[in-house]
Amino acid sequence: MTLATSTPPGADRDGFRLSMLIYDTRFRAITIQVVVLVLVLLLVGWLVDNTIQNLNAKGKDINFSFLWVRAGYDIEQQLIPYTNDSTHGRAVIIGLLNTLLVAIVGCFFATIIGVIAGVLRLSNNWLVSRLMTVYVEAFRNIPLLLWIVVIFVVTSETQPAPNEFKVTQAMVDSWQDDDPANDLEPTASKILFGTVAVTNRGSYMATPMLDRPLGSTEIGGVPVNFSVLAALAVVIGSILVNRAMLRRVKAQQEATGERPTTWWKSLLILFGPIALLLLAMGFHLQLPAFASDENGVSKGFNFQGGILVQHSFTALTLALALYTGAFIAEIVRAGILAISRGQTEASFALGIRPGRTMSLIILPQALRVIIPPLISQYLNLTKNTSLGIAVSYLDLRGTLGGITLNQTGRELECMLLMMLTYLIISLIISGLMNIYNNAVKLKER
Amino acid sequence: MSNSFVRTEMLAAQEPPLGQKGAVKWLRENLFSGPVNTILTLLGLFVIFWLVARAAPWWWNGVWDATSLGECRQIVAANGAESGACWAVIRARWHQYIFGFYPSELYWRPVLAAGLLMVALAPVLFWNDRKAAIMAGISGALTLIAMLFLGTATAPLLVSAVLLVGLFALAWSRPKLLIWVTLSYPFASLFLLWGGSVWLYLSAMLAAAVGVGFGLLYSRLKDSTGNLVYALLTALGAAVVAAALLHYLNAVSADFLTKISAANSFYPGWGAESGILVKLLGAIVSAVVWVISMLVWAMVAVMRAISATLDLNLGMIFGGTLASFLGLGAILAGLGTFRAARSRAAGLGILGGLLALGAYFVILHPLVTAQLDQSLPLGLTKVSSDQFGGFLLAIVIGVSAIAASLPLGIILALGRRSDMFLVKTLSVGFIEFIRGVPLITLLFTASLLLAYFLPPGTNFDLILRVIILASLFASAYIAEVVRGGLAALPRGQYEAADALGLDYWQAQRLIIMPQALKISIPGIVSTFIGLFKDTTLVSFVGLLDPLRGVTQIVRADINWKGIYWEPYIFVGAIFFIICFGMSRYSMYLERKLKTDHR
Amino acid sequence: MKKSVFLGAFAASTVLAGAAFAGTLDDVKARGELICGSNVGLTGFGAPDASGEWKGFDVDLCRAVAAAVLGDATKVKFVPTTGETRFTALASGEVDLLVRNSTATYGRDVDLKLDFVAINYYDGQGFMVKKDLGVSSAKELDGATVCIQTGTTTELNLADFFKFNNISYTPVTVQDDSEAQRQYLAGACDTYTTDASGLAASRATMADSENHIILPEIISKEPLGPAVRHGDNQWGDIVRWTFNALLIAEEKGITKANIEEAAASSTDPEVRRLLGIEGDLGAMAGLDNNAFKNAIAASGNYGEIFEANIGTATPIGLARGLNALWTQGGLQYAAPFR
């Protein structure tokens, strides 16, 4: 009867007939939705019921308590502290952070590579545009899996082993005499003023160290470093001050027509406070180096000190960046081509150089066309991080969907949790990007 | 004046300066037009030189004739070269990369299936009849050449030759009939690839044709007797399908409430020595799990109540109680359909035909095929799914997933554009869920979890399970592509359809879909390329994909243990050729579509 | 009335569900084919060759079981499983038997509801290093980078070993054996750890095998064996006794070559029982009486299978070691056949 009362005024009030549920467009929508709902409920009920029966037959239950059991395995790349005594739950979080790290770094580089390649593909330079075409087509038409494996192999096959950096007794002896011609040196050396050592097992980077740190605490198992917080606060503060300063200068320019020199002020405001803070805390870099005995002969298997960036991470990130970059290049190219030629011509007519035309006129307009497909590329990249399995990068799939699943045998729980996590990440990314997209969208009236 | 010089004939055209003609001009304009360009050019040249210098000796010294990696290395060393590729592994194992473990004397079957696929796709890919016929001819010729090369026995070769020539003749003379080849292709390819009794496929094909044909016929029926007969048949189909469904619900064996208690024990770390954040997180997760569990439990309880109240099971179909149920169904269906408008009747008719088809499959199909098989055994050697591998597997998964995802994708796209809240929500939820999780998790679901979701004891091929999940995966992407096509149609098309008095499905069938699908083809091809590349991921669930699966098997052979680059280069090259070809086609189509619209 | 129908359906479905998991023997016989979960490709233990024929130490055990149950060693289908999918494949009934160099552990036996019915290879986890590293004991590996396969028990053993000895290491996880070997050879890790048999197999195929040594420490017990589903005791018995039959055959000197002769002329009562000449021991398990004879005839006795696939005559060159018969100082000891 509730259906009959919802009949809009002016409609046939003769009464409600059953056949109106099918033939009356006002009610048909309701009928269809009810039927669909019942069918979907039936399907879900059927699936759940089957699951219960199957679990019963195997004597299993749905239980997430394994997440609080000792994991017992090690993870090579950990952004927050973790040992094999930590729980599976913490291993999952480590994996999640590793996934996010690859996704963020990958998206960053993919964007840079994609924009450069997309612009260069339209370059007047015949050779460069052809090279970019080869790059784009090669990466778009060969499975990502192959690229990940290939880059991984290249990084580990072409770089020197750590012991080629070692100083041996023979080298120390050769330095004793005065003749520099006889001196022996390690076959490999560090790059970037000794801050980075690229070996076949990963890159060892200099670690920033503080002599007088501000201490740290732990909130819910996550360490919080006050020094980092302080540095962040100072940097954000400097940026805000700098902005205020620039705003004032602009106001002055608009009032008087003269713009005071600001670059040295900006530099001072931006870098002065943080430099002072770091100086106060005793900042220095700990270079990666071998432990050595009193004669200077290196000992041990690996560099001591320094942050180790595993090649599985490097290869996965690089492959993802190059692969997604090829797709982004196409998007950028299409976006640029979508901007009418008149814009370029008008810009040239104003005497703006080609490089600046691109960065000031074309790209900002093309951005509106580029953003929506770019979002889906970011999403794809994030999902493709799960291919880290090919190089055994311990991301979310490697920990939760790999070792934890294997050790505990809880495939239902692990898989559901993993899917849910990926889903949430994807939804967050698309949500954020949509907000951004709405912000830059052409406001039409 | 007389001294003045007046030229009477034109000056002969002078040669352009050296910098303005020929190669030099081209170089100056295209490579060295400015400092930035010069630097870029030099950089590009350096990159090319570096790559060639590093890889060329390795390619150049490649060994084609050896029986093991060790022998390869010896030959390379004997030639005095430092490094050399060992292509001998490709020579020895190429057939596994292409066909997996498919029996070598039956290689002609997948080849013929591939050739027929091209013929079947011709009318879809080219709207120009001549071009379609040419494509059919070329693919037929290539198929025959490939079959000859693979050493096919005479009998299958002759049959295939006759078939392919016949199809080419058909495509040339009556191109419109080619669409029937397309429609029957799924059955033909299944038969060719998996083999078995021919009756199985013929019966299925017949049933499908009868089901759809019957529905179409019904829309033309006017007399009430026909309606009644039809309604009865529909009710029978519906009864069988519904009873089969409810049978499962009836067969409930577990008490879900005990499972709910698992949710309470979800967080045993409660009160243990852990941080406040962990505790909070645990509490929230427990609460969420508990709420979801309760909802699901309520759903299951409702389902059980329904099935218990109706007290239905499969046995009743054949028992006495069937009559009352059938009667009820017939009255309902009859009442509804009597007053149907003709177009709606067509939709209902097809639905009913499909239900009848379901009934046929449940009851008659096994009997019919068994009987025919006994009296007239015709068929091909059976090949089981685990013998599929390499590119054969990749193409089978890719093509069947895309084919299966098209109808589902179209329905999802329409659902997403629907004004009905529930339908829209469900479609959006499904699409976003599938698009939000990586394919690899879906593959693991196929391998690890699907057995949980199906009735106990159900067990079927991993390949089939992977195809099902890949189809669901692709359908979400196809739905987005089709939605794009629908959105690209001018609003006027919808309004014109309404103005003509067409109802929803008529408008979709006659006006909207033909146009929307046409502009969606490039997107569909791109989706296919993506899916085809992603089929390499099936190696992670133990299937023999060309990239890792077959390569792993080759490397497990003691003769080829340690081989690395050659298989990857071989597989990568084939992937590149296929995907590049398809992407060129889709670009060609995009250009063509653009001119159509201007 | 309604309730009774409901309960009836309930009972019927429970029986059905039970049947699907209990009667593996009947399933296999009805299907006419044994489905065996195998490795995706591990040299010597299980991998298909160029013609698609599966060969290896584990594979031959599957063939023996197929011969015992179906009387035909070729009626077996091999389903490649990965480290992640193997136990689920067995639990969900996708495979009848899992012979995939899987370690028997308490957790797998009790928690994962599997039954390891026999141990066909006693292994242990070892380390391989390059000679020029100058390491002679695993305890000197402090700070080393270790290549390790994921999804196995080895990563847990490794963590335990280093923790117990209070030394540190950097793990490099790899997906499969050939990848681990490549990384190790490239120098991406100082040492490669896996089952000692796998190390020996890898070392045997290296171009410069004399430059690599396997360290003396064996840090774990790795009893590898066939697994079946928990609760199907009849099927478990059949697999266990097929394996035992292969051991007894070696003990009694019955080989693939002389089995017909032994069946005709042997006077040893245990041999006669084993080959089905005397008594009906095969029938007790629901098989033919000559089932175990077929099993032995399929690829020979345990020793023959070992030597043909991974023994000293093969490129892999493993010595019998712990896997020698108990009479020769090993651990392979079959319960008496009576």
Side-chain angles (χ1 to χ4, degrees):
Chain A
M1 273 300 113
T2 49
L3 292 175
T5 53
S6 70
T7 315
D12 179 14
R13 286 200 176 272
D14 287 350
F16 178 72
R17 292 192 313 277
L18 209 60
S19 60
M20 279 166 72
L21 280 179
I22 299 176
Y23 299 121
D24 192 324
T25 41
R26 283 167 298 170
F27 301 116
R28 191 165 66 214
I30 297 173
T31 318
I32 293 176
Q33 294 197 54
V34 168
V35 169
V36 167
L37 180 69
V38 167
L39 284 180
V40 168
L41 280 182
L42 273 172
L43 181 71
V44 172
W46 184 65
L47 292 177
V48 170
D49 197 46
N50 283 332
T51 311
I52 296 169
Q53 287 190 46
N54 281 311
L55 283 172
N56 251 25
K58 286 173 195 165
K60 286 185 167 185
D61 56 357
I62 299 180
N63 191 340
F64 284 89
S65 60
F66 67 92
L67 287 174
W68 280 270
V69 173
R70 177 178 179 265
Y73 60 92
D74 284 293
I75 300 175
E76 60 241 41
Q77 180 183 306
Q78 25 183 285
L79 297 180
I80 59 171
Y82 169 89
T83 66
N84 54 42
D85 285 332
S86 307
T87 59
H88 279 297
R90 201 170 175 93
V92 171
I93 292 172
I94 299 275
L96 177 62
L97 289 175
N98 285 349
T99 294
L100 292 177
L101 184 70
V102 171
I104 292 167
V105 178
C107 283
F108 176 72
F109 283 110
T111 314
I112 294 179
I113 294 172
V115 171
I116 292 177
V119 171
L120 284 184
R121 249 195 109 175
L122 294 169
S123 144
N124 292 330
N125 190 319
W126 182 86
L127 185 72
V128 170
S129 69
R130 289 307 125 96
L131 271 181
M132 286 303 137
T133 310
V134 169
Y135 154 69
V136 168
E137 293 298 344
F139 274 85
R140 273 162 56 96
N141 290 313
I142 292 179
L144 170 62
L145 193 61
L146 184 61
W147 288 118
I148 294 178
V149 172
V150 163
I151 293 178
F152 183 55
V153 175
V154 167
T155 50
S156 60
E157 294 279 349
T158 57
Q159 300 304 321
N163 56 15
E164 290 175 44
F165 291 84
K166 273 173 146 180
V167 178
T168 62
Q169 188 61 46
M171 291 176 196
V172 174
D173 292 344
S174 74
W175 298 339
Q176 299 304 318
D177 59 29
D178 296 330
D179 185 4
N182 286 343
D183 282 4
L184 298 170
E185 293 290 338
T187 46
S189 56
K190 292 182 279 189
I191 56 171
L192 296 178
F193 312 108
T195 54
V196 178
V198 182
T199 73
N200 58 2
R201 33 188 91 153
S203 310
Y204 293 84
M205 311 249 187
T207 327
M209 299 290 276
L210 299 174
D211 285 337
R212 296 174 288 278
L214 299 178
S216 64
T217 184
E218 198 166 287
I219 299 178
V222 182
V224 177
N225 193 327
F226 288 132
S227 319
V228 175
L229 283 185
L232 272 181
V234 167
V235 168
I236 293 171
S238 318
I239 291 174
L240 289 179
V241 170
N242 187 42
R243 269 194 172 181
M245 193 266 294
L246 287 180
R247 215 176 301 130
R248 237 187 52 215
V249 167
K250 197 172 179 195
Q252 195 181 342
Q253 184 183 15
E254 286 184 353
T256 64
E258 264 180 50
R259 189 183 171 86
T261 337
T262 54
W263 63 268
W264 61 270
K265 284 186 200 160
S266 286
L267 271 184
L268 203 66
I269 294 174
L270 282 180
F271 295 103
I274 185 74
L276 277 178
L277 177 75
L278 289 179
L279 208 64
M281 292 196 292
F283 177 83
H284 62 93
L285 284 176
Q286 188 197 35
L287 302 182
F290 275 96
S292 55
D293 61 12
E294 62 276 12
N295 294 329
V297 178
S298 308
K299 292 186 304 188
F301 299 105
N302 286 318
F303 283 95
Q304 302 294 313
I307 301 166
L308 171 62
V309 181
Q310 298 268 349
H311 273 325
S312 53
F313 171 78
T314 320
L316 183 62
T317 314
L318 197 60
L320 283 171
L322 285 170
Y323 182 80
T324 314
F327 286 85
I328 293 179
E330 280 299 276
I331 293 169
V332 169
R333 191 175 77 115
I336 294 173
L337 288 178
I339 303 305
S340 86
R341 179 106 190 106
Q343 296 285 334
T344 318
E345 285 163 354
S347 165
F348 286 172
L350 288 174
I352 301 174
R353 278 176 277 131
R356 308 210 83 190
T357 303
M358 185 57 84
S359 61
L360 293 176
I361 313 282
I362 307 296
L363 276 184
Q365 295 188 68
L367 214 56
R368 296 210 176 96
V369 187
I370 291 171
I371 295 280
L374 196 63
I375 297 170
S376 66
Q377 286 307 323
Y378 286 161
L379 273 174
N380 281 346
L381 189 145
T382 310
K383 284 186 289 170
N384 281 337
T385 54
S386 58
L387 294 192
I389 185 175
V391 289
S392 297
Y393 178 70
L394 288 182
D395 60 352
L396 187 64
R397 201 227 58 87
T399 55
L400 177 62
I403 303 180
T404 293
L405 184 153
N406 227 316
Q407 307 293 7
T408 60
R410 298 245 162 225
E411 59 264 354
L412 193 64
E413 293 90 333
C414 286
M415 292 302 301
L416 290 182
L417 204 55
M418 189 163 88
M419 281 203 202
L420 194 68
T421 317
Y422 274 116
L423 192 62
I424 291 172
I425 298 175
S426 299
L427 290 181
I428 290 176
I429 293 177
S430 52
L432 286 181
M433 285 296 175
N434 280 333
I435 291 173
Y436 177 68
N437 190 25
N438 285 338
V440 302
K441 203 162 67 180
L442 200 59
K443 306 280 189 306
E444 279 179 282
R445 273 172 289 271
Chain B
M1 282 296 271
S2 61
N3 281 348
S4 65
F5 176 78
V6 178
R7 188 180 280 281
T8 50
E9 73 275 17
M10 289 292 285
L11 257 179
Q14 250 186 350
E15 284 280 294
L18 211 56
Q20 287 298 320
K21 67 164 187 180
V24 177
K25 175 178 181 233
W26 187 87
L27 280 175
R28 273 179 71 159
E29 279 185 359
N30 288 309
L31 294 180
F32 303 101
S33 60
V36 179
N37 260 344
T38 310
I39 291 171
L40 282 177
T41 304
L42 291 179
L43 210 65
L45 282 177
F46 172 74
V47 168
I48 294 172
F49 172 77
W50 185 77
L51 284 176
V52 169
R54 294 210 74 159
W58 186 78
W59 287 82
W60 186 249
N61 295 318
V63 176
W64 278 96
D65 203 6
T67 55
S68 72
L69 183 60
E71 202 183 322
C72 265
R73 285 180 181 148
Q74 276 173 11
I75 296 175
V76 170
N79 290 343
E82 217 168 74
S83 68
C86 186
W87 301 113
V89 66
I90 305 299
R91 215 177 121 133
R93 296 295 191 100
W94 66 271
H95 55 277
Q96 281 181 353
Y97 280 100
I98 307 292
F99 297 105
F101 296 131
Y102 210 85
S104 61
E105 69 277 8
L106 301 180
Y107 282 168
W108 63 272
R109 277 161 48 179
V111 172
L112 182 61
L116 287 179
L117 174 67
M118 287 295 125
V119 175
L121 280 179
V124 182
L125 296 185
F126 297 99
W127 308 306
N128 178 328
D129 291 339
R130 266 310 144 219
K131 275 190 181 164
I134 290 171
M135 182 174 167
I138 291 177
S139 52
L142 285 178
T143 309
L144 289 178
I145 292 170
M147 285 169 87
L148 270 177
F149 171 72
L150 288 166
T152 310
T154 327
L157 193 65
L158 276 180
V159 172
S160 321
V162 169
L163 183 66
L164 289 166
V165 169
L167 284 176
F168 175 62
L170 183 74
W172 194 264
S173 55
R174 310 285 290 281
K176 291 283 171 269
L177 290 181
L178 216 54
I179 198 77
W180 292 106
V181 179
T182 311
L183 287 178
S184 53
Y185 178 75
F187 300 100
S189 63
L190 289 178
F191 176 56
L192 273 176
L193 289 173
W194 274 273
S197 163
V198 71
W199 301 118
L200 200 69
Y201 301 93
L202 281 183
S203 157
M205 206 166 144
L206 196 76
V210 167
V212 175
F214 197 55
L216 288 175
L217 197 70
Y218 173 64
S219 66
R220 318 220 173 248
L221 265 185
K222 286 211 175 115
D223 70 310
S224 43
T225 338
N227 266 343
L228 197 63
V229 170
Y230 181 78
L232 278 170
L233 282 172
T234 306
L236 175 68
V240 171
V241 173
L245 200 69
L246 287 170
H247 171 69
Y248 282 120
L249 292 172
N250 223 342
V252 165
S253 65
D255 190 356
F256 195 72
L257 274 177
T258 56
K259 296 300 161 210
I260 295 298
S261 64
N264 293 335
S265 69
F266 172 71
Y267 185 63
W270 196 235
E273 282 188 37
S274 47
I276 183 83
L277 265 184
V278 177
K279 277 187 179 176
L280 200 65
L281 188 76
I284 292 170
V285 173
S286 313
V288 169
V289 168
W290 191 79
V291 168
I292 293 175
S293 312
M294 280 325 255
L295 281 176
V296 170
W297 177 77
M299 213 136 60
V300 172
V302 168
M303 293 303 116
R304 282 183 193 170
I306 292 175
S307 66
T309 327
L310 291 181
D311 197 17
L312 293 168
N313 60 51
L314 205 56
M316 287 164 55
I317 298 288
F318 307 103
T321 41
L322 176 69
S324 57
F325 184 61
L326 202 61
L328 188 71
I331 292 165
L332 276 178
L335 264 181
T337 45
F338 258 119
R339 300 169 54 116
R342 252 173 73 180
S343 62
R344 193 164 305 133
L348 281 173
I350 291 175
L351 190 73
L354 289 176
L355 283 176
L357 178 70
Y360 171 80
F361 264 103
V362 172
I363 302 172
L364 285 180
H365 178 68
L367 295 175
V368 170
T369 47
Q371 191 55 44
L372 277 169
D373 224 15
Q374 236 171 21
S375 47
L376 201 62
L378 267 181
L380 290 172
T381 323
K382 260 195 168 172
V383 178
S384 71
S385 300
D386 58 308
Q387 284 168 294
F388 284 56
F391 279 100
L392 174 61
L393 178 72
I395 292 173
V396 164
I397 293 178
V399 171
S400 36
I402 282 289
S405 68
L406 268 176
L408 194 56
I410 292 173
I411 291 174
L412 282 171
L414 290 178
R416 197 170 184 168
R417 286 173 64 87
S418 159
D419 331 317
M420 287 180 265
F421 172 75
L422 197 67
V423 173
K424 187 174 178 168
T425 315
L426 285 172
S427 307
V428 171
F430 180 83
I431 293 173
E432 290 307 322
F433 171 72
I434 296 283
R435 280 160 49 90
V437 297
L439 177 58
I440 204 162
T441 60
L442 291 179
L443 291 177
F444 273 109
T445 305
S447 150
L448 300 174
L449 297 194
L450 211 55
Y452 281 109
F453 300 143
L454 296 175
T458 322
N459 222 326
F460 49 94
D461 265 356
L462 180 57
I463 292 185
L464 193 55
R465 281 182 279 160
V466 164
I467 289 178
I468 291 174
L469 265 293
S471 308
L472 292 181
F473 179 75
S475 69
Y477 287 82
I478 294 280
E480 288 300 275
V481 170
V482 173
R483 189 167 72 111
L486 288 173
L489 275 195
R491 177 109 199 96
Q493 297 287 331
Y494 292 89
E495 287 164 356
D498 286 346
L500 284 175
L502 300 179
D503 71 6
Y504 182 76
W505 290 107
Q506 276 177 326
Q508 291 298 340
R509 186 162 53 87
L510 299 170
I511 312 279
I512 310 297
M513 273 301 154
Q515 299 183 70
L517 284 184
K518 198 168 131 184
I519 38 183
S520 307
I521 290 184
I524 294 173
V525 173
S526 309
T527 311
F528 177 69
I529 295 176
L531 186 69
F532 181 58
K533 284 188 294 175
D534 279 346
T535 54
T536 49
L537 302 189
V538 300
S539 63
F540 295 115
V541 293
L543 289 181
L544 296 177
D545 85 300
L547 188 61
R548 283 180 82 254
V550 176
T551 303
Q552 196 171 359
I553 279 175
V554 169
R555 286 204 205 119
D557 186 339
I558 199 101
N559 288 326
W560 302 114
K561 206 172 161 84
I563 195 130
Y564 215 86
W565 290 105
E566 294 83 350
Y568 286 156
I569 292 175
F570 176 68
V571 173
I574 295 186
F575 264 112
F576 181 80
I577 292 169
I578 297 178
C579 296
F580 187 70
M582 286 192 294
S583 71
R584 287 291 119 159
Y585 166 75
S586 102
M587 279 160 76
Y588 149 81
L589 209 59
E590 260 170 42
R591 271 200 306 278
K592 214 175 118 174
L593 286 170
K594 240 182 208 162
T595 53
D596 275 1
H597 274 274
R598 273 185 190 164
Chain C
M1 165 62 197
K2 264 177 192 164
K3 191 158 189 181
S4 72
V5 171
F6 182 66
L7 284 178
F10 176 114
S13 72
T14 331
V15 170
L16 264 175
F21 286 101
T24 313
L25 177 63
D26 298 331
D27 288 354
V28 173
K29 278 184 173 167
R31 200 190 302 129
E33 189 178 52
L34 174 74
I35 304 179
C36 214
S38 65
N39 205 306
V40 183
L42 182 65
T43 316
F45 284 85
D49 65 6
S51 56
E53 179 116 351
W54 285 77
K55 293 226 163 74
F57 181 71
D58 286 342
V59 167
D60 279 345
L61 181 57
C62 283
R63 292 202 188 284
V65 174
V69 176
L70 301 167
D72 185 348
T74 59
K75 289 200 173 144
V76 49
K77 183 168 119 180
F78 293 95
V79 173
T81 53
T82 67
E84 274 108 16
T85 62
R86 54 182 165 175
F87 297 128
T88 317
L90 181 62
S92 66
E94 197 178 322
V95 300
D96 300 316
L97 171 68
L98 184 74
V99 194
R100 191 203 174 276
N101 54 307
S102 301
T103 308
T105 66
Y106 176 82
R108 286 173 181 177
D109 208 339
V110 176
D111 194 27
L112 296 192
K113 311 279 192 240
L114 306 177
D115 275 351
F116 286 89
V117 287
I119 304 299
N120 69 339
Y121 194 92
Y122 288 96
D123 213 333
Q125 187 176 344
F127 293 92
M128 176 160 62
V129 295
K130 288 177 183 152
K131 243 183 201 158
D132 57 13
L133 200 64
V135 169
S136 60
S137 157
K139 288 176 186 159
E140 296 167 26
L141 289 172
D142 191 9
T145 307
V146 184
C147 275
I148 182 162
Q149 280 186 60
T150 60
T152 62
T153 49
T154 48
E155 53 214 349
L156 302 185
N157 297 333
L158 184 73
D160 285 354
F161 175 78
F162 276 83
K163 192 181 164 87
F164 182 73
N165 287 298
N166 210 9
I167 50 181
S168 67
Y169 71 106
T170 314
V172 173
T173 44
V174 287
Q175 197 61 32
D176 56 54
D177 181 59
S178 53
E179 181 59 32
Q181 190 183 333
R182 188 197 62 75
Q183 291 243 35
Y184 165 75
L185 284 176
C189 44
D190 296 305
T191 173
Y192 171 31
T193 179
T194 186
D195 295 346
S197 63
L199 289 179
S202 289
R203 184 170 170 270
T205 57
M206 284 177 187
D208 55 341
S209 55
E210 67 281 0
N211 292 336
H212 304 271
I213 52 170
I214 294 173
L215 296 178
E217 281 90 351
I218 295 293
I219 64 167
S220 72
K221 290 181 288 187
E222 301 285 338
L224 311 179
V228 298
R229 277 182 292 278
H230 189 79
D232 189 352
N233 294 342
Q234 185 191 24
W235 181 243
D237 290 345
I238 290 169
V239 177
R240 180 185 304 112
W241 282 97
T242 306
F243 177 69
N244 282 346
L246 300 180
L247 283 183
I248 296 169
E250 189 187 3
E251 211 177 303
K252 301 285 182 188
I254 301 167
T255 63
K256 197 176 173 178
N258 70 7
I259 187 161
E260 290 303 333
E261 190 193 327
S265 63
S266 176
T267 52
D268 184 334
E270 188 168 11
V271 171
R272 290 176 68 82
R273 283 196 297 273
L274 183 67
L275 301 183
I277 317 294
E278 230 178 66
D280 50 358
L281 276 80
M284 281 182 204
L287 303 172
D288 290 343
N289 270 336
N290 60 357
F292 298 111
K293 183 182 160 198
N294 291 337
I296 299 163
S299 358
N301 62 36
Y302 179 79
E304 283 178 282
I305 293 175
F306 192 101
E307 291 304 331
N309 293 303
I310 51 177
T312 43
T314 64
I316 296 167
L318 293 175
R320 284 293 286 271
L322 290 176
N323 295 294
L325 289 183
W326 61 285
T327 48
Q328 283 142 28
L331 293 175
Q332 293 293 2
Y333 182 105
F337 203 83
R338 67 169 68 249

